[in-house]
Amino acid sequence: MTATLSAGPAAWLVCGRCSAMLYGKRYARGARVCPECGWHGPLTAAERLEQLLDPESARLLDTAVSDSDPLGFTDSRPYTDRLRDARAKTGMPDAVLCARGRIEGNPVVVAAMDFRFLGGSLGANVGEAVTQACEIALRERTPLLVVTASGGARMQEGIVSLMQMAKTSQALGQLDEAGILTVTLISDPTFGGVAASYATLTDVIVAEPGARLGFAGPRVIEQTIRQTLPPGFQTAEFLLEHGVVDMIVPRVELRSALGRLLSVANRRPDGEPHERPAERVAVIRDPAGLPERDPWECVQAARRLGRPTTLDYIGLLLADFTELHGDRAYADCPALVAGLGRLDGTSVVVIGTQKGHTARDLAARNYGMPTPAGYRKAARVMRLAGKLGLPVVTFVDTAGAYPGIEAEEHGQSVAIAENLKLMAGLPVPVVAVVTGEGGSGGALALAFADRVLMCANAVYSVISAEGCASILWKDPAAAPQAAAALRVDARSLLALGIVDGVVREPGDGAETDHLAAARALHDALADSLAGLLPLDQMTLVTARRARFRQFGAGTSVVLDDDPVEKENAR
């Protein structure tokens, strides 16, 4: 906490992290962020609403407040006395303020907590206020933003406080069922019952730099089980790495970041005119339109480091992109990128494997081979797409799923299988593009789609050519023969019906002109989405399942309950 050294408007303060002397007015103008070390000082709930909501847009909600003391609790003082003092000190009825407002013009319901009021603890009044905010968001079909600052459940209310975790979690679940976006802003600190309920149940979790989040606080952990905690334990940076939070946003950038997210998730028009491009041959659908090529040459072309990556395509194709991180379980896989953005003004979810252009990039991104955390991150973001009704675009460029010991320990097979089942029933349009290598089940886990496209120099196979050669030819040098036998090239796969179309590449390959490659991919995506967006959910899912049902069937399948098909089959 900051400490005031002198009174009046020119008060000097001491930074709570680096102990630097801070001039009060400058500190306030900088949103209470230390200019020396970036430490984000505490804000009151009223200051939060002022900082986040558009000027003059905030309207406080009249949430019910009770004076009840369910346990008649007394420690060194009666609980009722503590409540009275907290109200007098803060001017608040309890530890949360709720309001309607707008963020960058986007309507939102906000529940902002205040740590000054009994440590922001979760009591009946707080639980009731947050639940009422959820109910208002549900009734008005408006996104919900929760700003957390809490030490946990309110001990003075005992088991009644514990029940608030269930009540608020239920309310968040109803917003999920209704397809309404929910967002949490984690401020320091957020612990205990709040962390284990509504703080971590939202669609997107944003954290301020250095904010701490956890179920048990460091002191509790150290005192109860005597564990030595790693540096930076439970901070936003630690939690981003471990897959719990989606992003860390400095305070001065919060309004614009939240506004961008709300705008895209709500499919709000971006104000830019968007016209369909002039008629072009966006996708080649006839194998005769493609030249015959040596499959091994295609393998080598697909692996060129200069080819555009998922992040390259995102930068060239999408506006207002917000990247989401983490599987909410144990890690954020850098080999898989996911987020929301706009393609020609249409809000979309984009998911793709990410390699890189240098040895350092490749190592940092695990050579584009996703771990189970990557596939679970993809699944989480696809479920969000289904909830919000946003089409999904996937970019596939991977040698395959990561095959290491840790991946097996965390259920690589299960993660891939769960993605396949999820994508089979996803109630929104899905377009997959193999942009480079499409390696085995690790690629298919992102390519169970309504339209499966591939770039002209891409390859798609059950196994790498080298792997097949080692197993069946007993000689890795036989990879060219294996590639030919596996028919991994775009022309062969289009003829087999595995892909629905092939996207042309400029010159000798996409790596020679990223902009031209992106234009071609843009036209292919725009063409595919134009045909899918008008379709209802049942039509989409039924057709997608039928597309994959046909592979390997050999003969027509007659359903037991379809007498017309039975008669035709005779």
Side-chain angles (χ1 to χ4, degrees), residues 193-281:
V194 170
S197 58
Y198 57 88
T200 51
L201 284 177
T202 56
D203 299 314
V204 180
I205 301 177
V206 183
E208 288 190 327
R212 293 168 295 161
L213 168 71
F215 181 59
R219 184 165 50 185
V220 172
I221 295 171
E222 290 171 341
Q223 289 179 351
T224 54
I225 60 175
R226 302 289 187 263
Q227 280 192 344
T228 301
L229 305 180
F233 183 67
Q234 294 178 317
T235 62
E237 293 74 15
F238 178 92
L239 296 167
L240 182 67
E241 180 183 349
H242 287 81
V244 177
V245 304
D246 284 289
M247 65 189 87
I248 300 171
V249 181
R251 188 172 289 168
V252 294
E253 300 173 15
L254 277 170
R255 186 185 292 176
S256 61
L258 291 170
R260 182 170 60 250
L261 175 65
L262 290 167
S263 178
V264 173
N266 288 339
R267 291 172 283 180
R268 184 183 178 204
D270 61 359
E272 296 293 330
H274 297 280
E275 298 179 3
R276 283 292 304 276
E279 201 61 40
R280 300 189 185 109
V281 181

XYZ file of all heavy atoms in Angstrom, residues 193-281:
679
model
N -12.615 -17.436 -1.795
C -13.921 -17.745 -2.352
C -14.263 -16.981 -3.606
O -14.999 -17.486 -4.465
N -13.757 -15.771 -3.757
C -14.001 -15.011 -4.981
C -13.218 -15.627 -6.137
O -13.738 -15.813 -7.246
C -13.629 -13.528 -4.787
C -13.646 -12.774 -6.110
C -14.579 -12.876 -3.798
N -11.946 -15.968 -5.892
C -11.136 -16.605 -6.930
C -11.725 -17.940 -7.350
O -11.632 -18.334 -8.519
C -9.705 -16.789 -6.436
N -12.326 -18.662 -6.401
C -12.849 -19.998 -6.680
C -14.313 -19.977 -7.089
O -14.982 -21.013 -7.047
C -12.667 -20.894 -5.457
N -14.811 -18.831 -7.505
C -16.184 -18.766 -8.007
C -16.228 -17.808 -9.191
O -15.612 -18.080 -10.223
C -17.158 -18.371 -6.889
O -16.821 -17.126 -6.312
N -16.882 -16.682 -9.042
C -17.169 -15.868 -10.229
C -15.934 -15.236 -10.863
O -15.949 -14.918 -12.056
C -18.221 -14.802 -9.919
C -17.910 -13.857 -8.786
C -17.207 -12.683 -8.993
C -18.369 -14.127 -7.495
C -16.954 -11.804 -7.950
C -18.132 -13.254 -6.449
C -17.426 -12.091 -6.687
O -17.173 -11.231 -5.650
N -14.846 -15.061 -10.137
C -13.663 -14.420 -10.725
C -13.071 -15.239 -11.860
O -12.533 -14.683 -12.825
C -12.608 -14.177 -9.652
N -13.144 -16.552 -11.768
C -12.479 -17.405 -12.765
C -13.462 -18.178 -13.634
O -13.044 -19.077 -14.368
C -11.527 -18.383 -12.063
O -12.222 -19.066 -11.013
C -10.328 -17.657 -11.476
N -14.734 -17.839 -13.584
C -15.728 -18.543 -14.389
C -16.116 -17.806 -15.661
O -16.925 -18.304 -16.438
C -16.998 -18.784 -13.555
C -16.924 -19.912 -12.518
C -18.227 -19.985 -11.737
C -16.627 -21.247 -13.186
N -15.556 -16.649 -15.897
C -15.947 -15.849 -17.047
C -15.267 -16.341 -18.318
O -14.321 -17.130 -18.295
C -15.613 -14.373 -16.813
O -14.221 -14.259 -16.506
C -16.427 -13.803 -15.673
N -15.748 -15.845 -19.459
C -15.202 -16.244 -20.754
C -13.769 -15.773 -20.938
O -12.936 -16.480 -21.503
C -16.064 -15.662 -21.887
C -17.488 -16.152 -21.834
O -17.688 -17.366 -21.664
O -18.408 -15.318 -21.955
N -13.498 -14.566 -20.495
C -12.174 -13.957 -20.678
C -11.714 -13.403 -19.334
O -12.470 -12.706 -18.650
C -12.218 -12.827 -21.727
C -10.828 -12.208 -21.897
C -12.736 -13.339 -23.067
N -10.476 -13.732 -18.961
C -9.895 -13.232 -17.714
C -8.739 -12.296 -18.058
O -7.731 -12.730 -18.636
C -9.404 -14.372 -16.808
C -10.564 -15.309 -16.458
C -8.785 -13.811 -15.534
C -10.155 -16.502 -15.617
N -8.900 -11.033 -17.726
C -7.881 -10.014 -17.931
C -7.281 -9.700 -16.569
O -7.994 -9.659 -15.560
C -8.493 -8.743 -18.545
C -7.421 -7.700 -18.830
C -9.267 -9.078 -19.816
N -5.979 -9.490 -16.515
C -5.327 -9.157 -15.244
C -4.469 -7.916 -15.405
O -3.872 -7.689 -16.464
C -4.477 -10.323 -14.755
N -4.408 -7.120 -14.349
C -3.451 -6.019 -14.322
C -2.061 -6.579 -14.027
O -1.934 -7.635 -13.386
C -3.836 -5.003 -13.239
C -5.064 -4.198 -13.588
C -5.296 -3.045 -12.629
O -4.964 -3.183 -11.428
O -5.815 -2.015 -13.066
N -1.006 -5.904 -14.475
C 0.349 -6.381 -14.188
C 0.566 -6.560 -12.697
O 0.217 -5.704 -11.883
C 1.240 -5.264 -14.745
C 0.412 -4.628 -15.818
C -0.999 -4.693 -15.321
N 1.131 -7.706 -12.333
C 1.475 -7.979 -10.942
C 0.321 -8.393 -10.057
O 0.538 -8.740 -8.889
N -0.905 -8.377 -10.567
C -2.061 -8.748 -9.734
C -1.945 -10.208 -9.307
O -1.561 -11.073 -10.086
C -3.354 -8.527 -10.508
N -2.295 -10.480 -8.056
C -2.224 -11.847 -7.519
C -3.614 -12.472 -7.496
O -4.593 -11.829 -7.145
C -1.626 -11.836 -6.114
C -0.152 -11.421 -6.058
C 0.264 -11.149 -4.631
N -0.456 -9.998 -4.086
C -0.568 -9.744 -2.787
N -0.034 -10.551 -1.890
N -1.236 -8.674 -2.375
N -3.638 -13.754 -7.878
C -4.881 -14.518 -7.926
C -4.595 -15.931 -7.462
O -3.633 -16.564 -7.908
C -5.426 -14.549 -9.363
C -6.564 -15.533 -9.669
C -7.862 -15.083 -9.003
C -6.765 -15.674 -11.170
N -5.428 -16.443 -6.554
C -5.241 -17.814 -6.114
C -6.296 -18.222 -5.105
O -7.000 -17.377 -4.544
N -6.408 -19.510 -4.870
C -7.361 -20.006 -3.885
C -6.816 -19.791 -2.474
O -7.441 -19.156 -1.638
C -7.657 -21.484 -4.129
C -8.647 -22.056 -3.159
C -9.925 -21.524 -3.050
C -8.305 -23.115 -2.339
C -10.851 -22.032 -2.150
C -9.217 -23.633 -1.429
C -10.491 -23.098 -1.332
N -5.630 -20.326 -2.216
C -4.982 -20.131 -0.921
C -3.857 -19.111 -1.084
O -3.055 -19.212 -2.007
C -4.419 -21.456 -0.404
N -3.802 -18.143 -0.183
C -2.751 -17.143 -0.246
C -1.400 -17.713 0.144
O -1.309 -18.774 0.783
N -0.313 -17.047 -0.236
C 1.031 -17.551 0.073
C 1.250 -17.826 1.558
O 1.863 -18.833 1.926
C 1.940 -16.410 -0.417
C 1.150 -15.720 -1.469
C -0.274 -15.807 -1.037
N 0.738 -16.949 2.426
C 0.942 -17.157 3.856
C 0.254 -18.436 4.336
O 0.812 -19.203 5.132
C 0.423 -15.947 4.632
C 0.675 -16.033 6.137
C 0.492 -14.693 6.796
N -0.769 -14.068 6.420
C -1.111 -12.841 6.806
N -0.292 -12.115 7.543
N -2.270 -12.323 6.447
N -0.957 -18.682 3.806
C -1.677 -19.894 4.190
C -0.921 -21.135 3.728
O -0.758 -22.112 4.471
C -3.095 -19.883 3.588
C -3.796 -21.217 3.814
C -3.907 -18.743 4.189
N -0.428 -21.097 2.488
C 0.301 -22.246 1.947
C 1.557 -22.527 2.769
O 1.843 -23.668 3.148
C 0.666 -22.002 0.468
C -0.613 -21.914 -0.385
C 1.578 -23.117 -0.061
C -0.371 -21.462 -1.798
N 2.307 -21.474 3.038
C 3.567 -21.656 3.765
C 3.331 -22.135 5.199
O 4.071 -22.970 5.721
C 4.348 -20.338 3.760
C 4.891 -19.974 2.377
C 5.479 -18.573 2.328
O 5.162 -17.760 3.229
O 6.249 -18.291 1.400
N 2.273 -21.645 5.825
C 2.045 -22.005 7.226
C 1.400 -23.373 7.395
O 1.645 -24.054 8.381
C 1.164 -20.936 7.893
C 1.883 -19.605 8.112
C 0.980 -18.557 8.741
O -0.230 -18.756 8.876
N 1.572 -17.429 9.129
N 0.570 -23.787 6.418
C -0.148 -25.049 6.587
C 0.638 -26.255 6.088
O 0.643 -27.308 6.738
C -1.505 -25.000 5.863
O -1.294 -24.640 4.491
C -2.436 -24.007 6.526
N 1.297 -26.136 4.929
C 2.005 -27.312 4.396
C 3.497 -27.075 4.209
O 4.197 -27.934 3.667
C 1.371 -27.796 3.080
C 1.417 -26.694 2.013
C -0.061 -28.259 3.299
C 0.915 -27.164 0.657
N 3.978 -25.909 4.656
C 5.409 -25.618 4.684
C 6.080 -25.710 3.308
O 7.227 -26.108 3.183
C 6.133 -26.559 5.657
C 5.612 -26.506 7.087
C 5.998 -25.189 7.763
N 5.657 -25.198 9.178
C 4.555 -24.666 9.694
N 3.675 -24.091 8.893
N 4.320 -24.703 10.986
N 5.351 -25.364 2.271
C 5.948 -25.377 0.936
C 6.660 -24.061 0.660
O 6.169 -22.990 1.021
C 4.893 -25.621 -0.137
C 4.504 -27.077 -0.310
C 3.686 -27.293 -1.574
O 3.169 -26.355 -2.166
N 3.563 -28.536 -1.982
N 7.809 -24.157 -0.004
C 8.532 -22.972 -0.452
C 7.977 -22.563 -1.811
O 7.951 -23.374 -2.747
C 10.034 -23.254 -0.566
O 10.521 -23.672 0.710
C 10.770 -22.003 -1.021
N 7.536 -21.338 -1.926
C 6.860 -20.896 -3.146
C 7.864 -20.330 -4.148
O 8.828 -19.658 -3.763
C 5.814 -19.848 -2.801
C 4.787 -20.284 -1.740
C 3.803 -19.157 -1.479
C 4.066 -21.542 -2.174
N 7.639 -20.573 -5.449
C 8.556 -20.036 -6.466
C 8.424 -18.526 -6.587
O 7.406 -17.945 -6.178
C 8.092 -20.734 -7.747
C 6.673 -21.103 -7.493
C 6.564 -21.379 -6.027
N 9.443 -17.872 -7.133
C 9.379 -16.409 -7.295
C 8.176 -16.019 -8.153
O 7.853 -16.679 -9.140
C 10.701 -16.070 -8.009
C 11.608 -17.217 -7.702
C 10.730 -18.426 -7.595
N 7.538 -14.925 -7.768
C 6.402 -14.431 -8.541
C 5.172 -15.306 -8.471
O 4.250 -15.152 -9.276
N 5.122 -16.210 -7.499
C 4.008 -17.154 -7.379
C 2.668 -16.429 -7.299
O 2.516 -15.458 -6.578
C 4.223 -18.008 -6.128
C 3.199 -19.079 -5.902
C 3.105 -20.155 -6.767
C 2.340 -19.015 -4.824
C 2.170 -21.160 -6.552
C 1.396 -20.013 -4.592
C 1.315 -21.086 -5.471
N 1.707 -16.896 -8.085
C 0.323 -16.398 -8.118
C 0.188 -14.993 -8.695
O -0.903 -14.420 -8.655
C -0.337 -16.458 -6.729
C -0.524 -17.886 -6.210
C -1.136 -17.927 -4.831
O -0.764 -17.152 -3.952
N -2.067 -18.851 -4.612
N 1.230 -14.426 -9.263
C 1.101 -13.139 -9.934
C 0.505 -13.334 -11.320
O 0.471 -14.442 -11.862
C 2.458 -12.442 -10.079
O 3.321 -13.259 -10.894
C 3.110 -12.195 -8.730
N 0.043 -12.246 -11.912
C -0.551 -12.318 -13.243
C 0.408 -12.944 -14.242
O 0.005 -13.745 -15.094
C -0.949 -10.915 -13.695
N 1.682 -12.593 -14.134
C 2.664 -13.121 -15.081
C 2.827 -14.633 -14.914
O 2.934 -15.374 -15.893
C 4.003 -12.405 -14.870
C 3.982 -10.917 -15.231
C 3.234 -10.029 -14.218
O 2.963 -10.470 -13.081
O 2.923 -8.883 -14.577
N 2.856 -15.096 -13.680
C 2.931 -16.528 -13.375
C 1.685 -17.239 -13.915
O 1.761 -18.314 -14.519
C 3.041 -16.692 -11.859
C 3.070 -18.109 -11.362
C 4.270 -18.775 -11.170
C 1.891 -18.782 -11.058
C 4.294 -20.080 -10.687
C 1.902 -20.081 -10.581
C 3.111 -20.735 -10.396
N 0.522 -16.626 -13.722
C -0.737 -17.245 -14.128
C -0.926 -17.247 -15.642
O -1.561 -18.152 -16.189
C -1.892 -16.530 -13.451
C -1.908 -16.647 -11.922
C -2.883 -15.659 -11.314
C -2.242 -18.067 -11.487
N -0.386 -16.260 -16.335
C -0.432 -16.266 -17.798
C 0.360 -17.449 -18.335
O -0.095 -18.180 -19.228
C 0.119 -14.952 -18.348
C 0.084 -14.792 -19.874
C -1.353 -14.698 -20.374
C 0.872 -13.555 -20.306
N 1.535 -17.658 -17.790
C 2.378 -18.780 -18.206
C 1.715 -20.117 -17.898
O 1.868 -21.091 -18.639
C 3.733 -18.699 -17.495
C 4.693 -19.815 -17.850
C 5.992 -19.732 -17.058
O 6.222 -18.698 -16.391
O 6.753 -20.701 -17.089
N 0.953 -20.166 -16.811
C 0.325 -21.420 -16.390
C -1.125 -21.547 -16.858
O -1.883 -22.379 -16.342
C 0.417 -21.569 -14.868
C 1.806 -21.884 -14.407
N 2.773 -20.915 -14.257
C 2.401 -23.060 -14.079
C 3.902 -21.478 -13.853
N 3.706 -22.769 -13.747
N -1.524 -20.741 -17.825
C -2.781 -20.967 -18.520
C -4.032 -20.502 -17.827
O -5.133 -20.873 -18.238
N -3.927 -19.664 -16.790
C -5.114 -19.269 -16.027
C -5.729 -17.981 -16.558
O -6.952 -17.859 -16.632
C -4.777 -19.129 -14.530
C -5.995 -18.641 -13.739
C -4.288 -20.467 -13.977
N -4.915 -16.995 -16.911
C -5.453 -15.729 -17.404
C -5.213 -15.610 -18.900
O -4.273 -16.188 -19.453
C -4.859 -14.514 -16.655
C -5.079 -14.635 -15.159
C -3.384 -14.326 -16.975
N -6.087 -14.834 -19.559
C -6.000 -14.666 -21.004
C -5.007 -13.603 -21.422
O -4.356 -13.721 -22.457
C -7.377 -14.301 -21.566
C -8.297 -15.496 -21.635
O -8.068 -16.365 -22.481
O -9.234 -15.581 -20.823
N -4.917 -12.552 -20.632
C -4.034 -11.454 -21.030
C -3.729 -10.569 -19.832
O -4.496 -10.532 -18.861
C -4.656 -10.625 -22.156
C -5.921 -9.904 -21.761
S -6.783 -9.138 -23.164
C -7.786 -10.516 -23.683
N -2.599 -9.884 -19.909
C -2.213 -8.879 -18.918
C -2.244 -7.530 -19.620
O -1.602 -7.352 -20.662
C -0.815 -9.159 -18.351
C -0.778 -10.535 -17.671
C -0.400 -8.075 -17.371
C 0.609 -10.979 -17.270
N -3.010 -6.594 -19.072
C -3.184 -5.301 -19.725
C -2.875 -4.193 -18.724
O -3.497 -4.126 -17.657
C -4.622 -5.125 -20.256
C -4.769 -3.780 -20.958
C -4.985 -6.264 -21.206
N -1.930 -3.315 -19.023
C -1.662 -2.176 -18.141
C -2.920 -1.322 -17.969
O -3.750 -1.216 -18.878
C -0.559 -1.403 -18.875
C 0.081 -2.411 -19.779
C -1.011 -3.344 -20.180
N -3.026 -0.695 -16.827
C -4.246 0.038 -16.478
C -4.621 1.099 -17.498
O -5.804 1.268 -17.829
C -4.067 0.653 -15.086
C -5.314 1.275 -14.514
C -5.073 1.666 -13.063
N -4.988 0.486 -12.193
C -4.557 0.523 -10.940
N -4.140 1.667 -10.408
N -4.520 -0.581 -10.216
N -3.640 1.810 -18.015
C -3.959 2.901 -18.937
C -4.499 2.387 -20.271
O -5.071 3.148 -21.052
C -2.721 3.790 -19.182
C -2.328 4.517 -17.918
C -1.553 2.978 -19.732
N -4.328 1.089 -20.559
C -4.809 0.518 -21.823
C -6.088 -0.294 -21.653
O -6.609 -0.852 -22.625
C -3.716 -0.375 -22.435
C -2.421 0.360 -22.746
C -1.310 -0.596 -23.189
O -1.628 -1.761 -23.517
O -0.145 -0.180 -23.207
N -6.604 -0.367 -20.432
C -7.718 -1.271 -20.168
C -8.982 -0.897 -20.940
O -9.645 -1.770 -21.512
C -8.023 -1.305 -18.670
C -7.158 -2.248 -17.839
C -7.394 -2.008 -16.353
C -7.445 -3.704 -18.195
N -9.326 0.368 -20.946
C -10.591 0.727 -21.596
C -10.567 0.370 -23.078
O -11.530 -0.205 -23.604
C -10.901 2.209 -21.414
C -12.294 2.571 -21.974
C -12.574 4.060 -21.918
N -12.724 4.530 -20.555
C -12.900 5.810 -20.237
N -12.942 6.725 -21.193
N -13.027 6.182 -18.978
N -9.488 0.684 -23.761
C -9.426 0.383 -25.198
C -9.386 -1.128 -25.444
O -10.024 -1.627 -26.376
C -8.210 1.058 -25.837
O -7.002 0.596 -25.254
N -8.654 -1.875 -24.598
C -8.585 -3.327 -24.778
C -9.947 -3.977 -24.539
O -10.383 -4.854 -25.308
C -7.544 -3.927 -23.835
N -10.628 -3.562 -23.479
C -11.952 -4.112 -23.193
C -12.963 -3.685 -24.250
O -13.825 -4.476 -24.655
C -12.411 -3.670 -21.807
C -11.647 -4.275 -20.621
C -12.038 -3.575 -19.319
C -11.891 -5.774 -20.515
N -12.865 -2.449 -24.699
C -13.777 -1.976 -25.739
C -13.637 -2.769 -27.021
O -14.636 -3.130 -27.661
N -12.401 -3.067 -27.408
C -12.161 -3.858 -28.620
C -12.748 -5.260 -28.473
O -13.412 -5.781 -29.368
C -10.661 -3.925 -28.879
C -10.267 -4.670 -30.145
C -8.791 -4.471 -30.457
N -7.926 -4.941 -29.392
C -7.207 -4.150 -28.604
N -7.251 -2.839 -28.752
N -6.434 -4.654 -27.654
N -12.517 -5.878 -27.322
C -13.040 -7.216 -27.070
C -14.565 -7.229 -27.089
O -15.189 -8.088 -27.731
C -12.525 -7.720 -25.726
C -13.070 -9.064 -25.231
C -12.642 -10.188 -26.154
C -12.593 -9.334 -23.803
N -15.184 -6.294 -26.390
C -16.642 -6.233 -26.341
C -17.235 -5.999 -27.722
O -18.250 -6.612 -28.096
C -17.087 -5.114 -25.395
C -16.833 -5.329 -23.899
C -17.030 -4.026 -23.137
C -17.737 -6.415 -23.348
N -16.611 -5.141 -28.487
C -17.128 -4.806 -29.810
C -17.113 -6.022 -30.734
O -18.102 -6.313 -31.421
C -16.305 -3.667 -30.412
O -16.754 -3.350 -31.701
N -16.001 -6.755 -30.746
C -15.893 -7.921 -31.624
C -16.815 -9.042 -31.141
O -17.529 -9.670 -31.929
C -14.437 -8.419 -31.692
C -14.349 -9.735 -32.461
C -13.555 -7.364 -32.364
N -16.812 -9.309 -29.833
C -17.624 -10.399 -29.300
C -19.112 -10.143 -29.499
O -19.898 -11.089 -29.677
C -17.321 -10.592 -27.817
N -19.507 -8.882 -29.504
C -20.914 -8.530 -29.701
C -21.292 -8.403 -31.169
O -22.436 -8.072 -31.484
C -21.235 -7.206 -28.996
C -21.266 -7.352 -27.498
O -21.441 -8.447 -26.980
N -21.086 -6.246 -26.790
N -20.303 -8.634 -32.051
C -20.525 -8.490 -33.498
C -21.009 -7.085 -33.846
O -21.805 -6.885 -34.761
C -21.519 -9.536 -34.013
C -20.964 -10.939 -33.978
C -22.006 -11.968 -34.297
N -22.886 -12.179 -33.149
C -23.899 -13.034 -33.138
N -24.166 -13.741 -34.198
N -24.634 -13.176 -32.058
N -20.507 -6.112 -33.099
C -20.879 -4.728 -33.358
C -20.182 -4.241 -34.629
O -18.991 -4.488 -34.824
C -20.446 -3.854 -32.174
C -20.862 -2.403 -32.279
C -20.328 -1.611 -31.096
N -20.669 -0.199 -31.205
C -19.990 0.768 -30.612
N -18.955 0.479 -29.868
N -20.363 2.018 -30.746
N -20.896 -3.567 -35.543
C -20.257 -3.076 -36.769
C -19.060 -2.182 -36.452
O -19.079 -1.412 -35.497
C -21.377 -2.286 -37.461
C -22.644 -2.842 -36.896
C -22.321 -3.227 -35.466
N -18.003 -2.312 -37.260
C -16.799 -1.529 -36.981
C -16.814 -0.163 -37.660
O -15.853 0.590 -37.553
C -15.542 -2.305 -37.392
C -15.514 -2.639 -38.878
O -16.482 -2.273 -39.587
O -14.538 -3.256 -39.330
N -17.880 0.144 -38.375
C -17.986 1.460 -38.986
C -17.285 1.585 -40.321
O -17.364 2.618 -40.973
N -16.584 0.531 -40.749
C -15.872 0.576 -42.025
C -16.711 -0.104 -43.098
O -17.246 -1.193 -42.882
C -14.521 -0.146 -41.908
C -13.554 0.513 -40.933
C -13.089 1.865 -41.405
O -13.016 2.070 -42.631
O -12.803 2.728 -40.554
N -16.831 0.503 -44.305
C -17.558 -0.172 -45.389
C -16.754 -1.370 -45.898
O -15.540 -1.290 -46.068
C -17.680 0.920 -46.460
C -16.536 1.857 -46.181
C -16.318 1.820 -44.698
N -17.435 -2.461 -46.114
C -16.761 -3.662 -46.603
C -17.531 -4.211 -47.794
O -18.714 -4.525 -47.695
C -16.678 -4.730 -45.511
C -15.876 -4.317 -44.331
N -14.506 -4.357 -44.316
C -16.255 -3.813 -43.126
C -14.061 -3.919 -43.143
N -15.106 -3.572 -42.413
N -16.841 -4.297 -48.921
C -17.463 -4.824 -50.129
C -16.832 -6.158 -50.488
O -15.652 -6.395 -50.212
C -17.273 -3.838 -51.291
C -17.927 -2.477 -51.050
C -17.691 -1.532 -52.206
O -17.069 -1.971 -53.203
O -18.126 -0.377 -52.129
N -17.646 -7.017 -51.098
C -17.088 -8.269 -51.594
C -16.049 -7.942 -52.659
O -16.234 -7.059 -53.493
C -18.179 -9.141 -52.209
C -19.057 -9.866 -51.230
C -18.317 -10.953 -50.471
N -17.681 -11.931 -51.307
C -18.297 -12.995 -51.813
N -19.578 -13.206 -51.570
N -17.633 -13.859 -52.551
N -14.910 -8.644 -52.672
C -13.902 -8.375 -53.692
C -14.420 -8.688 -55.081
O -15.390 -9.442 -55.251
C -12.763 -9.340 -53.302
C -13.428 -10.408 -52.497
C -14.553 -9.748 -51.783
N -13.785 -8.074 -56.063
C -14.149 -8.377 -57.449
C -14.047 -9.876 -57.677
O -13.251 -10.571 -57.045
C -13.210 -7.632 -58.398
N -14.874 -10.382 -58.574
C -14.963 -11.820 -58.781
C -13.596 -12.393 -59.158
O -12.969 -11.986 -60.121
C -15.971 -12.113 -59.893
C -16.534 -13.527 -59.860
C -17.277 -13.828 -58.575
O -17.995 -12.951 -58.079
O -17.094 -14.944 -58.063
N -13.109 -13.306 -58.327
C -11.844 -13.972 -58.599
C -12.034 -15.458 -58.412
O -12.975 -15.904 -57.767
C -10.749 -13.511 -57.637
C -10.412 -12.036 -57.659
C -9.172 -11.790 -56.806
N -8.870 -10.361 -56.698
C -9.032 -9.665 -55.594
N -9.490 -10.246 -54.522
N -8.736 -8.390 -55.567
N -11.120 -16.244 -58.981
C -11.134 -17.677 -58.727
C -10.477 -17.868 -57.368
O -9.260 -18.017 -57.250
C -10.396 -18.464 -59.822
C -10.461 -19.962 -59.528
C -11.000 -18.167 -61.185
